[in-house]
Amino acid sequence: LRTETELRTGIERGQLRLAYQPIVDLRDGGVVGSEALARWGHPERGLVPPSGFLAVAEETGLIIPLGRMLVQEAAAQVAAWHREGRVRPGFRVSINVSNREFWQGAYPARLLEALEAAQVDPGWVAIEITETVIMHSAEQALPVLSRLKQAGLRLHVDDFGTGYSSLETLHRFPVDALKIDRSFVARLDLDERSTELVRTIVTMGRNLGVEVIAEGIETARQAERLVEMGCEYGQGYLWAQPLPAAEFAALLAGEP
Ligand code: G
Ligand code: G
Ligand code: NA
Ligand code: MN
């Protein structure tokens, strides 16, 4: 596979890096965290998004060394921002975890080791996992998530609303935040089903004592509607695209 070799080379040459997108408090616009998103700075093809390499990484198992490298990068970065006083005390970075990464036996131990090596307070890190990964085997996911939770990490359920989830299972999991999938935010007020789904997730979060983060907010009107519904946090192009670390730090410096 041409792409496998290419990806392996790209990983070895440090072409895969993280971009950071702010997660903001919708009431005051303050940056409470950031989602770390992988990007491949390809020498010929330019900036390749995850859709251009994640499937190959998963199929070939390259996601394991890649994921480990990205966790180290995110850990070092969030530790530096805290140490340099660039972020507020509770600021955290969210790291995406895919199916294959999550289901390796060594996953929680390796993640915790990487955080310790970077001297990162586990409270500065959230893992983003989809409902699909959890529901793949809820019984086996629970001890893994509980272990991470006990170590102090936060758990965000990504793309919420697109998968299956039994309310009962969600209730049993140590979930800290639900991330409303951007497809629903995009259709807010444009179709009734999406609007009601967003409202339902926000209400559910409240009832379960879980934060709700709306993804893909592009307009001030969407942000306003989400606030009206009681949604507390959001991310999207309205504030910023995923940015290289230095640009993200510059954005923080410009905060009121
Ligand atoms: O940035 P973009 O919208 O293209 O990301 C698409 C998807 O790629 C995200 O929803 C996320 O699930 C996945 N992704 C991005 N970065 C990472 C990463 O570092 N690790 C894993 N496993 N998935 C990622
Ligand atoms: O799958 P996951 O939700 O983790 O990935 C989020 C993806 O959404 C990222 O790839 C990011 O680049 C993208 N994204 C972030 N903000 C916006 C936005 O406001 N609009 C759109 N269309 N995409 C966004
Ligand atoms: Na994500
Ligand atoms: Mn998401």
Side-chain angles (χ1 to χ4, degrees):
L1 215 98
R2 181 171 157 261
T3 329
E4 178 180 356
T5 312
E6 226 186 326
L7 181 57
R8 191 183 299 278
T9 307
I11 294 170
E12 284 165 7
R13 295 190 179 163
Q15 293 166 4
L16 283 108
R17 299 297 305 272
L18 288 171
Y20 299 87
Q21 185 176 40
I23 298 176
V24 305
D25 184 325
L26 292 174
R27 290 158 303 190
D28 61 14
V31 179
V32 299
S34 75
E35 178 174 3
L37 292 152
R39 297 287 182 262
W40 183 359
H42 194 282
E44 287 112 43
R45 290 194 271 143
L47 205 62
V48 181
S51 56
F53 60 87
L54 266 188
V56 178
E58 283 265 310
E59 281 158 23
T60 58
L62 281 171
I63 190 69
I64 305 299
L66 174 60
R68 202 177 309 144
M69 213 182 72
L70 294 174
V71 162
Q72 286 166 357
E73 183 176 335
Q77 191 58 74
V78 73
W81 284 333
H82 274 284
R83 208 172 42 238
E84 293 159 9
R86 292 182 195 271
V87 292
R88 51 173 85 182
F91 179 95
R92 49 201 163 235
V93 67
S94 311
I95 299 172
N96 287 280
V97 183
S98 60
N99 205 47
R100 186 143 178 191
E101 289 178 279
F102 184 79
W103 290 109
Q104 354 145 230
Y107 174 69
R110 286 220 176 118
L111 175 59
L112 296 174
E113 272 167 33
L115 301 185
E116 202 178 313
Q119 296 187 293
V120 166
D121 178 337
W124 298 341
V125 178
I127 63 163
E128 286 203 8
I129 189 170
T130 62
E131 295 169 86
T132 314
V133 173
I134 297 178
M135 299 310 156
H136 178 77
S137 174
E139 290 317 309
Q140 284 167 278
L142 188 54
V144 177
L145 296 173
S146 300
R147 178 165 175 200
L148 294 175
K149 185 65 197 170
Q150 260 170 18
L153 276 86
R154 289 173 44 103
L155 172 63
H156 294 180
V157 181
D158 202 7
D159 303 343
F160 194 77
T162 59
Y164 286 103
S165 52
S166 90
L167 196 58
E168 190 269 330
T169 308
L170 258 185
H171 192 63
R172 260 185 327 122
F173 281 86
V175 170
D176 297 289
L178 302 175
K179 299 193 76 176
I180 304 177
D181 191 69
R182 66 178 146 92
S183 61
F184 305 118
V185 173
R187 294 199 297 268
L188 204 54
D189 286 338
L190 299 180
D191 85 72
E192 204 172 324
R193 266 177 58 91
S194 299
T195 309
E196 284 315 309
L197 197 93
V198 170
R199 196 193 308 281
T200 301
I201 296 172
V202 171
T203 305
M204 190 162 94
R206 285 229 157 146
N207 293 341
L208 294 175
V210 165
E211 285 178 7
V212 177
I213 304 169
E215 294 191 296
I217 302 175
E218 296 184 357
T219 69
R221 179 71 189 141
Q222 287 166 344
E224 199 178 286
R225 289 288 287 130
L226 285 157
V227 170
E228 283 168 14
M229 290 177 178
C231 184
E232 291 176 295
Y233 302 99
Q235 74 187 86
Y237 299 160
L238 178 61
W239 296 278
Q241 286 181 227
L243 302 168
E247 286 175 44
F248 186 84
L251 176 140
L252 289 173
E255 264 200 288

